[in-house]
Amino acid sequence: MSKKILVMPGDGIGPEIVAEAVKVLNAVNKKFDLGISTDEALVGGSAYDVHGDPLPEVSLEKARAADAILFGSIGGPKWDTIERDKRPERGLLRLRSSLGLFANLRPAILFPQLASASSLKPEIVSGLDILIVRELTGGIYFGQPRGIRVENGERVGFNTDVYNESEIRRIGRVAFELAMVRDKKLLSVDKANVLEVTELWKEVITSMAAEYPEVQVSHMYVDNAAMQLVRAPKQFDVIVTGNLFGDILSDEAAMLTGSIGMLPSASLDENRKGLYEPCHGSAPDIAGQGIANPLATILSLSMLLRYSLERADVADVIEKAVEQVLEGGLRTADIWTEGCRKVGTAEMGDAVVAALG
Ligand code: IPM
Ligand code: MG
């Protein structure tokens, strides 16, 4: 095969963590003769600094041409006050939307070695394996109208939460299919007691259940789901929800595993072309210090191989290598506990490469 991966390091710790994932990519490319070629493109604040646009046309064109995208992180205080449409986050949102990456898969898996890094008791989280399926190109993130206007002498901020039936059905299908290859349990999260848009969400998901008789479907309001996630997270298998609730719940689920620095994600289109990025942000407070955890990005690479390149065998090898490194007691600062060896970003990446065998 000959596959093109576009590397988009972005801002903050993005370049540091992506560099480690690229080391792993180069190693497996060689070891398994994958025939992968890579290219690089600017995105976010770093693209704005050069092109005056967080997603310049040249970057979008490269993204369209690639089979998959490995993405770091974007944003930082430096760009928080520039014109809203030019902010780094808008670049990422435009990329997701332009490529039709509507299905965001965010697994929250607890590596047994990290049970003590979780803020919850080990017995509550041990063996945790949840998959959040977040709708990524609709809802309040993209709904019109939106903005800040002046009314009666004061400013009014407004956004629109909107989903049509086909958008709900499309993400519902992804979630049902994934539930079928997992524990066959699907939770749909809404706020149907207050918001009409999620009342429709609940109705559509409910109507799909008949097509998947083996899947046990349940529904929860988002406030209850947030509570249940910290009370008894192991009751969940696949969770499907809209863009905003998915954003919030996936950070919460990630933290159950000890550190958001461990969690990868995939954002897929209808044909499984995807953008792969860590769930965490650009962490400007620690950027440039060489202490960020590269494992979420390395695990994102593993998802890339699994979903977009259909090389589950290679993905397994990477995941095993990560586990072996954790087993050996290496920890970046965010997951460090007494008795383990604290390492920096590059040392962690090198250790994963070495563990590939
Ligand atoms: C995420 C991030 C993004 C989002 C931001 C950076 C726009 O929080 O991927 O979860 O809200 O989707
Ligand atoms: Mg988020």
Side-chain angles (χ1 to χ4, degrees):
M1 70 181 180
S2 152
K3 296 283 183 187
K4 278 193 280 195
I5 295 181
L6 181 66
V7 178
M8 301 182 105
D11 312 320
I13 57 169
E16 298 163 56
I17 53 179
V18 165
E20 300 312 311
V22 168
K23 280 184 193 167
V24 175
L25 171 60
N26 290 338
V28 294
N29 197 19
K30 198 160 159 211
K31 185 174 162 75
F32 296 94
D33 198 15
L34 299 175
I36 292 171
S37 63
T38 59
D39 194 359
E40 209 172 289
L42 290 173
V43 69
S46 52
Y48 172 80
D49 286 345
V50 176
H51 298 277
D53 182 348
L55 182 64
E57 196 51 37
V58 43
S59 295
L60 181 57
E61 273 319 305
K62 284 184 179 187
R64 285 193 206 281
D67 293 295
I69 299 156
L70 184 64
F71 192 98
S73 53
I74 43 110
K78 181 178 174 196
W79 305 284
D80 277 351
T81 48
I82 62 175
E83 187 190 337
R84 207 173 297 119
D85 278 343
K86 303 282 186 201
R87 291 189 194 154
E89 293 74 15
R90 292 294 174 97
L92 174 59
L93 296 179
R94 227 178 334 121
L95 187 58
R96 288 171 177 170
S97 157
S98 307
L99 298 182
L101 306 172
F102 71 96
N104 187 209
L105 277 41
R106 299 193 160 183
I109 296 169
L110 185 87
F111 285 88
Q113 299 83 355
L114 297 185
S116 60
S118 173
S119 49
L120 297 191
K121 296 190 193 84
E123 63 268 27
I124 306 275
V125 290
S126 70
L128 184 81
D129 182 354
I130 298 176
L131 178 62
I132 296 190
V133 179
R134 168 190 177 194
E135 202 292 326
L136 201 58
T137 53
I140 199 165
Y141 270 55
F142 293 94
Q144 295 289 346
R146 65 188 295 161
I148 300 175
R149 64 174 173 242
V150 177
E151 241 173 61
N152 303 324
E154 65 172 346
R155 285 177 304 155
V156 180
F158 55 99
N159 287 90
T160 304
D161 200 358
V162 54
Y163 274 114
N164 59 40
E165 291 181 270
S166 51
E167 281 176 304
I168 303 168
R169 215 170 280 117
R170 182 172 70 165
I171 192 72
R173 183 145 289 120
V174 171
F176 273 104
E177 300 286 343
L178 286 164
M180 283 298 288
V181 296
R182 292 174 49 101
D183 288 344
K184 301 192 167 62
K185 276 198 323 198
L186 178 62
L187 173 76
S188 171
V189 173
D190 60 63
K191 187 71 186 177
N193 51 343
V194 178
L195 304 174
E196 286 82 353
V197 55
T198 71
E199 196 180 321
L200 179 68
W201 178 283
K202 184 173 181 177
E203 255 178 61
V204 172
I205 299 289
T206 304
S207 74
M208 296 178 75
E211 293 173 54
Y212 301 89
E214 283 175 65
V215 177
Q216 179 201 322
V217 185
S218 55
H219 304 268
M220 254 183 215
Y221 299 142
V222 64
D223 49 351
N224 184 27
M227 182 185 71
Q228 296 296 335
L229 264 175
V230 288
R231 193 188 71 86
K234 283 190 274 180
Q235 67 184 290
F236 300 124
D237 177 25
V238 179
I239 299 179
V240 66
T241 190
N243 209 338
L244 181 61
F245 297 163
D247 179 46
I248 299 165
L249 294 180
S250 62
D251 266 26
E252 189 188 1
M255 205 56 213
L256 299 175
T257 69
S259 168
I260 195 166
M262 293 299 299
L263 272 294
S265 78
S267 306
L268 306 176
D269 74 0
E270 309 258 14
N271 305 309
R272 284 196 166 210
K273 169 169 170 164
L275 180 148
Y276 298 81
E277 58 175 322
C279 282
H280 61 71
S282 59
D285 53 323
I286 59 163
Q289 296 178 30
I291 59 170
N293 186 349
L295 293 178
T297 315
I298 291 171
L299 292 167
S300 298
L301 170 67
S302 154
M303 286 189 94
L304 183 158
L305 288 156
R306 189 179 300 282
Y307 290 105
S308 286
L309 268 48
E310 291 176 32
R311 289 299 301 255
D313 56 329
V314 184
D316 287 344
V317 169
I318 295 175
E319 284 161 26
K320 286 230 171 61
V322 168
E323 217 168 317
Q324 197 181 313
V325 168
L326 293 174
E327 192 61 45
L330 266 60
R331 303 282 189 275
T332 42
D334 58 312
I335 50 173
W336 182 83
T337 45
E338 205 63 56
C340 294
R341 193 158 78 80
K342 201 181 277 182
V343 297
T345 312
E347 197 178 340
M348 186 57 105
D350 290 339
V352 174
V353 170
L356 293 169

